[in-house]
Amino acid sequence: MVAEPVDRAAAPVRPTPVGRRVAPRRSRAWLGVLLVLVAAIGGLCLLYLEQTSRVVELGYELTRLQRNRDQVALEVAALRYELARRQSLARVEELARREYGMVPLRKAESLRLARPAPLPTPVPPPRSERSWWQRVQDALLGVGHAEAETTP
């Protein structure tokens, strides 16, 4: 028996058990697909959480704005009440008597005045009877027409 030279640079040969076939090595592409799938699910979860927190934030803002609207409505109602109170005839009469020294009218007299004669209405000057196409032609050619005023 002659010994064969052993090439150590060659891949080591694994011993195979008797009766079992060696399965070819599978590629690890499934690992990349799994990582992409996990990243996509994680991204969707983060998007869901972001949207949920935004909805909650908008709910708080809506509640605050409704509270402000109710407060402004109360202020408007109070101002309308104050305006109606100040415009009441009893208050105006009391204020006129107290601050301005006014008293109620005791005797009313009516006066008849003669109306002045109405002023004459000015008559517009007669317009020149030129057709529309003559006016357009004059406007295009730059021809002007002066009209004297008859009113002094």
Side-chain angles (χ1 to χ4, degrees):
M1 248 176 82
V2 177
E4 293 182 16
V6 177
D7 186 13
R8 299 232 182 238
V13 178
R14 288 193 283 168
T16 59
V18 177
R20 291 179 102 187
R21 287 184 52 195
V22 176
R25 233 179 188 181
R26 291 184 183 170
S27 66
R28 295 193 181 178
W30 62 271
L31 185 60
V33 171
L34 182 66
L35 287 176
V36 168
L37 186 62
V38 167
I41 290 173
L44 287 175
C45 289
L46 287 176
L47 181 65
Y48 174 75
L49 289 175
E50 173 65 29
Q51 292 298 317
T52 303
S53 67
R54 182 72 176 140
V55 167
V56 169
E57 180 182 324
L58 289 174
Y60 288 142
E61 185 175 351
L62 179 65
T63 303
R64 181 183 56 81
L65 290 174
Q66 286 174 343
R67 197 175 315 124
N68 287 348
R69 184 197 62 202
D70 293 343
Q71 183 180 5
V72 168
L74 286 174
E75 289 176 9
V76 166
L79 289 173
R80 283 186 179 159
Y81 171 76
E82 183 66 24
L83 181 65
R85 188 181 69 79
R86 288 181 183 242
Q87 287 179 344
S88 71
L89 292 179
R91 184 176 183 285
V92 169
E93 184 180 356
E94 189 267 328
L95 186 68
R97 285 183 185 192
R98 183 174 38 121
E99 291 195 15
Y100 299 112
M102 295 180 153
V103 293
L105 182 65
R106 293 188 189 115
K107 182 179 175 188
E109 294 181 13
S110 61
L111 298 176
R112 291 205 173 244
L113 299 176
R115 282 192 176 173
L119 296 174
T121 57
V123 178
R127 304 187 87 193
S128 64
E129 298 296 327
R130 293 181 10 225
S131 64
W132 67 270
W133 61 270
Q134 287 174 336
R135 289 188 305 238
V136 169
Q137 183 181 9
D138 289 346
L140 290 175
L141 295 175
V143 177
H145 294 279
E147 294 181 12
E149 288 188 23
T150 58
T151 57

